[in-house]
Amino acid sequence: MNDDDFKRRLAELEEDRVHGASELARRCLRIAAASAFNAPAGDTGSLRRLLDGRAAAMAGARPSMAALGNLMARWRAALGKLPEDDLEAARRKAAEAALALVEESRRAVQEIAARTRELVGRDRTIITHSLSSTMLEVFHQLADRGVRAIITESRPLYEGRRLAARLSEWSVPTTFITDAQLGHFMQQADFAIVGADSMLPDGSVVNKAGTYLLALAANDQGVPFYVCCESFKRGTAEPKLEEMDAAELGAPGWPHVTVANLYFDVTPARLVSGWISEEGGPDPVFPPPDG
Amino acid sequence: MNDDDFKRRLAELEEDRVHGASELARRCLRIAAASAFNAPAGDTGSLRRLLDGRAAAMAGARPSMAALGNLMARWRAALGKLPEDDLEAARRKAAEAALALVEESRRAVQEIAARTRELVGRDRTIITHSLSSTMLEVFHQLADRGVRAIITESRPLYEGRRLAARLSEWSVPTTFITDAQLGHFMQQADFAIVGADSMLPDGSVVNKAGTYLLALAANDQGVPFYVCCESFKRGTAEPKLEEMDAAELGAPGWPHVTVANLYFDVTPARLVSGWISEEGGPDPVFPPPDG
């Protein structure tokens, strides 16, 4: 992957409005692996510098998604251990390190979905918001357990429609609603469950705008609100909440009117009933009181 | 207005997705006045029966909107007092009674807006949801007082865009957001204020779906949540929450997936900081404890 190819992939990553943090993190790792195999470099030192630069660029591409930064940081640590005297071995090891992280991410999602399946049990209704690869796996694993879904269209780009199509393929009885209806439909739900783009140190959740409203409605009606989130989505600082192109709302322009298109909101930890990660859960409190 | 014309107007009323309860109630009264003037009738008795039937049809056309039923009931009471021996005088009196109620409704909205203007004061930010003629008047009266607005697009038919256009004409600095962003943007608001389609006997509010979420976010962040609502929107029973054509969401059809398009939700009285009606307010509790 030469520099032009990489820049194109990086731009796609920055502009992606449809995929969640887990999926985009894995895409970064696959770009990292491809770069390791064939990026132009004459020795291990220059390969390491080039890969390190690409990793840094990808880590910063989506500031609302801690997983990218965390997984890239782990890959960059692996780059420090490449053999100095064998460029081909260095390429292979760097690529293997990236693909091992892809596999770790996949296993984490599978493990989270399995825990969630046990928690939910049979013949229950889950309400969720937006689309995440983790929630897709949760529904997939629950499809033969009589699960029902209530899902939002998720404006502005309607990624909820992609979730609806998948649930339909799996014959999951699904109610598809506008984002604004989720308060009313909470009364039909046994669980509110979402993925997350990042978890903040204080346990609050960064996810698609509207997640905070889902959590408020769940708390107001006594419906447990769970977050399914891999451990490597834990962020170390308040992320920048990404603002996207206002044109996505499809509204005409008006003088004196600013169209805002903030993709994420922050759900406070006090509204979260439990965390489900590949390490365990649901944990009733995050971080733990002594954390 | 002959029967065919009336049936056409009634169908328009039933299918209207854009106008709020106050505006539709006034439209009913204007239809009532036109019917009084020129509906086919040979004597006062047959005129009264015809008008009474049309009033009943309009009263039931929008079960989520108590104002239609209440104002039509008042007009039907006036029909009982028409002069028996003078058809032209009966026509005139019936029309005058309807137009007097239109005027009463207009004055109520003006009075509510004036009270709200005093409450809000200068240089404050109001967040609202959907579009109501009452909130339009509130913003109009506050336009020269440095008011700022945060407004939602209001899916599925985007009536928030009509509000944006009016606020723009009045040079009100406005932030226009998707419905799902209202939780995040609550932090920029001094007041959350909405109109209402109906008030239930227990003080809860029927309004465009998403209003309940606005109230939850306002309460969570300590922002006062006010409802501007004429006294004749008080309903006597739990209304049917109208469900509209699922096609309005523009989603493709999928097997196993039901697209829901419930236009209204119910905001419990405990989330309402105060009621502003033409009779007074903001009243901290509704109904009053002895009511």
Side-chain angles (χ1 to χ4, degrees), chain A residues 206-264:
Chain A
V206 178
N207 198 45
K208 181 73 191 282
T211 301
Y212 166 52
L213 299 172
L214 183 77
L216 284 171
N219 277 258
D220 192 54
Q221 298 185 40
V223 174
F225 176 81
Y226 290 110
V227 176
C228 291
C229 180
E230 306 95 302
S231 59
F232 48 77
K233 284 183 174 172
R234 289 177 189 157
T236 53
E238 185 85 23
K240 185 178 171 301
L241 295 180
E242 297 173 38
E243 182 146 13
M244 305 304 188
D245 187 352
E248 289 179 1
L249 271 70
W254 304 275
H256 312 289
V257 177
T258 303
V259 177
N261 188 16
L262 213 61
Y263 252 53
F264 302 96

Side-chain angles (χ1 to χ4, degrees), chain B residues 12-13 27 49 62 82 154 163 168 179:
Chain B
E12 286 170 3
L13 181 73
R27 187 192 296 172
R49 282 189 297 279
R62 299 301 296 269
L82 299 181
S154 205
L163 178 57
S168 175
D179 302 341

Side-chain angles (χ1 to χ4, degrees), chain A residues 173-195:
Chain A
T174 298
T175 303
F176 180 87
I177 59 176
T178 54
D179 303 341
Q181 291 176 83
L182 63 78
H184 177 83
F185 277 89
M186 185 61 66
Q187 61 192 257
Q188 299 182 12
D190 300 301
F191 299 93
I193 313 182
V194 294

Side-chain angles (χ1 to χ4, degrees), chain A residues 153 155 168 174 212 220 255 270, chain B residues 153 155 168 212 220 255 258:
Chain A
E153 60 180 9
R155 282 277 292 159
S168 176
T174 298
Y212 166 52
D220 192 54
R270 64 184 154 78
Chain B
E153 61 180 10
R155 283 278 293 159
S168 175
Y212 166 52
D220 192 54
T258 303

Side-chain angles (χ1 to χ4, degrees), chain B residues 177-190:
Chain B
I177 60 176
T178 55
D179 302 341
Q181 291 177 84
L182 63 79
H184 177 83
F185 277 89
M186 186 60 66
Q187 60 191 257
Q188 299 181 13
D190 299 302

